[in-house]
Amino acid sequence: MLAGQARTTSRELLRAAPVLDGHNDLPWALRKIAQDDTIAAAAVLDLSVEQTATHTDIARLRRGGVGGQFWSVYVPCGYTGHSAVTAVLEQIELVHDLAARYPDDLRIALTAHEVETAMADGKVASLLGAEGGHCIAESLGALRALYRLGVRYMTLTHNDNVPWADSATDEPAVGGLSDFGRDVVREMNRLGMLVDLSHVAPSTMRDALDTSVAPVIFSHSSCRAVADHVRNVPDDVLSRLAGNGGVCMVTFVPKFVSEERAAWDDALRDELSAAGQDPSDDAVWAAGLRSRAARAPRPEVTIDTIVKHVEHAREVAGIDHIGLGGDYDGVGELPVGLEDVSGYPALIAALLERSWSTEDCAKLTSRNALRVLRDAEHIATKL
């Protein structure tokens, strides 16, 4: 398909099958902007107009053809025990506050049917995803309470292990899932809450697939065969999604999708640390970027990089088992052409130019994710 025609078709397709994105960290970004004032966070920016401090606002969601969004109710790993439970409750309340503040644009959705109804009514269906199993403080009762409050997936770990599951970015401790970890997965199945395997170790992925009787998701992960990063999904796991019914929602995070970019950033981090500077300091990092880029150009990550991951996931998992999870407002920058949530039409146009059918693109944007939600709900009625 020619470029001009692809852009037009992309817009038409997204009106019929809007994006249901798996992961957006706007709630935590607003909390940071509000300097941890969780009551003020929903009003700290006017999201009805385009903002410069975030990747996400309602104006750009509309331009991007986003009709549904899993808002991450994220809790940093530094919060533990009761403080983690409190923090996730505050984030859940923040998303509900946002929906109440922008009723013409956002609507809380708890089921696949409610997502479809919201989309049909011209709203952005707003779902909640808890990022990090530490937020339940090893309590199945807390897990049930999160579901009652609207949480429809939980990422089993974040960057650190939890006592019952290993993370991809921590030293192995459990060897996958513990017995209690399997109980968590079973309880999520019983509730109809999706098991999210982004962030977890491959051993945890495999144990969860062995345990879950409902489809799992990766809310924001890409393909390890394309870019060998620990946050990505190995092919043997991708290949199991067809049998499980799950979906891998490809993410856009530059260091996850490009080995060259990850190596460049790691080298800068090492340089700064060797000089006694803190790479996590935004000002230090920005100055370091300018200095190193003058000596060694930073590898560019583009829409084509993301297309490679989407197409590999389609090849290994199958067209019915892929989706999109940008991770907007969870990272400092995104690929060229996908700098904010308005970029989805350009990605779909790129796929159409590569002879993807409109039906296959619609499965990628939302139909696969909706099926997974519906299947999890149906299975829960039988457990």
Side-chain angles (χ1 to χ4, degrees):
M1 187 179 293
L2 297 176
Q5 183 184 356
R7 285 192 292 271
T8 300
T9 303
S10 172
R11 297 286 181 184
E12 294 170 350
L13 184 150
L14 287 168
R15 283 192 286 272
V19 170
L20 172 51
D21 178 88
H23 194 88
N24 185 303
D25 276 300
L26 179 66
W28 193 262
L30 294 175
R31 179 172 175 148
K32 289 196 295 183
I33 293 168
Q35 298 182 326
D36 220 31
D37 185 338
T38 59
I39 301 302
V44 72
L45 296 178
D46 180 1
L47 296 178
S48 66
V49 298
E50 190 164 332
Q51 295 293 329
T52 58
T54 60
H55 300 138
T56 308
D57 50 57
I58 292 165
R60 286 180 289 177
L61 287 169
R62 297 299 195 185
R63 290 209 308 274
V66 179
Q69 180 66 68
F70 273 102
W71 301 108
S72 174
V73 289
Y74 160 68
V75 178
C77 294
Y79 291 75
T80 59
H82 296 311
S83 67
V85 179
T86 299
V88 77
L89 294 177
E90 290 169 341
Q91 292 307 102
I92 290 168
E93 181 61 17
L94 172 52
V95 175
H96 282 277
D97 281 353
L98 289 171
R101 188 171 183 81
Y102 303 101
D104 293 339
D105 299 290
L106 306 180
R107 181 186 294 171
I108 297 293
L110 303 179
T111 66
H113 176 71
E114 289 182 7
V115 172
E116 291 173 319
T117 300
M119 288 179 173
D121 291 343
K123 315 291 186 184
V124 178
S126 295
L127 302 102
L128 287 79
E131 187 175 22
H134 56 294
C135 72
I136 65 169
E138 299 180 69
S139 166
L140 294 182
L143 178 66
R144 294 172 187 172
L146 295 189
Y147 181 82
R148 192 180 296 273
L149 293 171
V151 173
R152 288 302 178 263
Y153 77 62
M154 184 174 74
T155 319
L156 299 186
T157 74
H158 191 242
N159 287 338
D160 294 350
N161 296 337
V162 294
W164 44 271
D166 284 342
S167 168
T169 46
D170 202 350
E171 293 299 318
V174 178
L177 287 175
S178 70
D179 288 343
F180 179 74
R182 292 181 177 85
D183 288 343
V184 170
V185 169
R186 293 187 188 102
E187 182 63 14
M188 293 173 74
N189 288 171
R190 189 191 70 79
L191 292 167
M193 184 188 291
L194 295 171
V195 176
D196 178 19
L197 300 180
S198 286
H199 279 286
V200 308
S203 56
T204 306
M205 298 174 191
R206 295 173 188 123
D207 281 356
L209 284 163
D210 289 342
T211 305
S212 183
V213 297
V216 304
I217 64 166
F218 291 86
S219 66
H220 58 307
S221 294
S222 293
C223 303
R224 195 152 184 177
V226 179
D228 189 13
H229 192 286
V230 293
R231 271 285 282 104
N232 290 335
V233 189
D235 275 2
D236 72 287
V237 175
L238 280 175
S239 67
R240 293 184 63 179
L241 289 180
N244 167 264
V247 167
C248 178
M249 307 178 89
V250 172
T251 197
F252 306 160
V253 182
K255 67 180 181 181
F256 297 170
V257 299
S258 167
E259 292 180 14
E260 295 78 13
R261 179 61 165 269
W264 195 98
D265 286 1
D266 287 345
L268 172 58
R269 192 170 289 106
D270 291 344
E271 283 183 13
L272 293 172
S273 297
Q277 297 178 286
D278 181 5
S280 65
D281 183 293
D282 290 344
V284 168
W285 183 258
L289 278 178
R290 290 191 294 272
S291 173
R292 182 170 169 75
R295 293 176 279 115
R298 198 180 191 195
E300 190 173 68
V301 178
T302 67
I303 288 175
D304 286 343
T305 313
I306 306 305
V307 166
K308 291 177 184 177
H309 284 269
V310 171
E311 293 200 318
H312 184 82
R314 179 182 66 167
E315 179 181 341
V316 177
I319 188 59
D320 296 318
H321 306 284
I322 57 175
L324 299 171
D327 203 6
Y328 285 106
D329 285 301
V331 292
E333 59 181 308
L334 281 301
V336 176
L338 294 169
E339 292 91 348
D340 58 54
V341 295
S342 68
Y344 291 100
L347 174 60
I348 301 307
L351 294 172
L352 291 168
E353 288 176 34
R354 294 175 65 88
S355 299
W356 278 53
S357 69
T358 55
E359 177 60 29
D360 283 356
C361 287
K363 289 182 176 184
L364 175 74
T365 57
S366 57
R367 289 179 184 165
N368 289 339
L370 281 166
R371 175 189 53 76
V372 165
L373 272 172
R374 191 174 294 106
D375 287 351
E377 294 163 15
H378 178 69
I379 289 167
T381 66
K382 298 184 175 183
L383 297 177

